[in-house]
Amino acid sequence: RRLAAPLPARRRAPPLRTAPVMMPQGVPQVPYRVPGTDQTMFVDVFQRLYRERVILVGRFLDEEQCNSLVATLLYLQSEGSKPISIYFNSPGALMKPCLAVYDTLKGMNCIVNTVNLGLATGMGAFLCGAGTKGHRYALPHARFLMQRTGLDDPFRGQASDIGLIVQENLRDNDRVEKALSKMTGLSIEKVREDMQRDFYLSAFEAVQYGLIDNVLIPGPKDGKSYSSKLGLLDDLGDEEARPSDLLL
């Protein structure tokens, strides 16, 4: 009589593991419902902000970034007269492209709110002050770095050609200083003296300097917000900008 070998014990299948939650790769996508329809589509968060007339400037402002900013401003102006909000957290900028943005801002026929979220350097600080008077803001820990801007790119050539480039750069810096004098109400001599070296300003110092109008500090839930210009808690009317009015 043959003895059958015992069958091997069956192995239990390992328990199913849930896939780990991963952070989104690239630009986050958010849902957006097309007005007048029930259709919902996913768009990147920056396009979603554009639809609310909000622009976030978080990169170095070179020619490409400034051209994109100018195009967005012109498009939003053609869409209506509601206020436009621009949030700055920029490490720096080129002078000539930013002068094009400045000229565009001055030609807008709607209110332009500017808010410094963290750091506005050089021409970024200049553009923060180029918003509509009374609608220029900063968060409490934001910083401004004001400075004269050098040549955008290294230049080689004959001494006479280099001299022409330097003179053009000096003229551009003079234009910026005159515009800052008009923004802040300070004399051109005072602005030129401050711009000789790197000139740092906190949010509250920027209010005293005249570069911005108010510091936004989240207040109690009763609709009050701290106004650094007045130095007390004020009820904000419809024309004033609360943090909740600017942030989505």
Side-chain angles (χ1 to χ4, degrees), residues 80 178 228 246:
K178 290 178 181 178
S228 65
L246 300 178

Side-chain angles (χ1 to χ4, degrees), residues 198-245:
D198 288 352
F199 186 52
Y200 287 91
L201 291 171
S202 67
F204 295 96
E205 290 170 342
V207 173
Q208 297 175 356
Y209 198 78
L211 188 62
I212 60 174
D213 302 300
N214 283 295
V215 179
L216 297 178
I217 298 180
K221 295 183 178 180
D222 56 0
K224 294 181 179 180
S225 180
Y226 181 80
S227 170
S228 65
K229 192 171 183 179
L230 301 178
L232 45 84
L233 285 171
D234 282 340
D235 292 324
L236 298 178
D238 294 336
E239 296 181 356
E240 295 289 342
R242 298 190 188 98
S244 58
D245 291 332

Side-chain angles (χ1 to χ4, degrees), residues 103-124:
D103 290 337
T104 303
L105 290 174
K106 290 307 175 183
M108 302 290 287
N109 54 16
C110 60
I111 293 175
V112 179
N113 300 304
T114 56
V115 184
N116 182 3
L117 298 177
L119 176 65
T121 303
M123 293 299 290

Side-chain angles (χ1 to χ4, degrees), residues 50-65:
Y50 292 159
R51 288 172 169 83
E52 299 297 332
R53 303 177 73 83
V54 175
I55 304 172
L56 178 62
V57 179
R59 296 182 179 180
F60 185 87
L61 286 169
D62 55 9
E63 291 87 351
E64 181 179 357
Q65 293 294 321

Side-chain angles (χ1 to χ4, degrees), residues 11-26:
R11 295 182 179 180
R12 294 183 178 179
L16 297 177
R17 296 181 180 179
T18 58
V21 178
M22 303 294 292
M23 292 295 293
Q25 301 294 323

Side-chain angles (χ1 to χ4, degrees), residues 50-87:
Y50 292 159
R51 288 172 169 83
E52 299 297 332
R53 303 177 73 83
V54 175
I55 304 172
L56 178 62
V57 179
R59 296 182 179 180
F60 185 87
L61 286 169
D62 55 9
E63 291 87 351
E64 181 179 357
Q65 293 294 321
C66 286
N67 288 338
S68 176
L69 181 55
V70 168
T72 303
L73 288 171
L74 294 176
Y75 172 75
L76 293 179
Q77 180 178 237
S78 68
E79 286 292 297
S81 59
K82 293 182 179 179
I84 299 173
S85 299
I86 308 177
Y87 292 85

